[in-house]
Amino acid sequence: RTIAAAKARFVSRADESGTHRKEMALWTSAGVNPGGTWYIAAGVGMGATLRVADERAAYVLSDEATFAALKRKVDLAIVSAGDPRLSNVYAVLPVNGARIRGVDTPDAEAFVRWLTSGNGRAVIAGYRIGGEAVFRLPVH
């Protein structure tokens, strides 16, 4: 609401990605219909969106991994982090082999088990960019 009320520049991915959908949900929950000259719909991926925000001295909603990878190349600072409303959950679902031809159901199910078990979770938790952990895993 503060960004919209101030008509402060904001760069959106505007690409129907998960990050863009999260952004739109945040605008909706704030009662804001973004638009006008302050709202810049980039229509590009996260890295390019961060570069546009840097060039325009604008706010942007970013995932941590892309920001960590580019933070030494852009003059952007984190102004909000850690709020549960900013959480953007990744999920994995095996495709139903009975409905979609050519799906290797046993391998798909094995991948999901690996990804959500000790080994896969350890790989995700250990993934770092510039020494920073960029993914937070839920405890189960």
Side-chain angles (χ1 to χ4, degrees), residues 50-117:
L50 283 167
R51 287 183 189 94
V52 172
D54 182 48
E55 292 166 2
R56 306 275 180 98
Y59 291 95
V60 62
L61 178 68
S62 176
D63 66 89
E64 290 183 55
T66 308
F67 180 73
L70 292 178
K71 73 179 183 180
R72 288 175 181 82
K73 298 176 183 176
V74 295
D75 189 25
L76 297 171
I78 296 172
V79 295
S80 183
D83 186 320
R85 293 173 295 184
L86 297 175
S87 179
N88 196 12
V89 177
Y90 288 84
V92 61
L93 301 168
V95 175
N96 184 340
R99 296 183 66 196
I100 308 293
R101 282 192 318 206
V103 171
D104 185 337
T105 301
D107 280 352
E109 290 171 349
F111 176 68
V112 169
R113 279 192 306 278
W114 177 83
L115 195 60
T116 59
S117 71

Side-chain angles (χ1 to χ4, degrees), residues 28-39:
T28 298
S29 72
V32 173
N33 184 14
T37 58
W38 64 273
Y39 186 79

Side-chain angles (χ1 to χ4, degrees), residues 6 9 12 18-19 22 32 34 38 45-46 61-62 64 130-132 138-139:
R9 281 187 219 111
S12 172
T19 302
K22 172 54 80 168
V32 173
W38 64 273
M46 194 73 256
L61 178 68
S62 176
E64 290 183 55
E132 290 181 53
V139 178

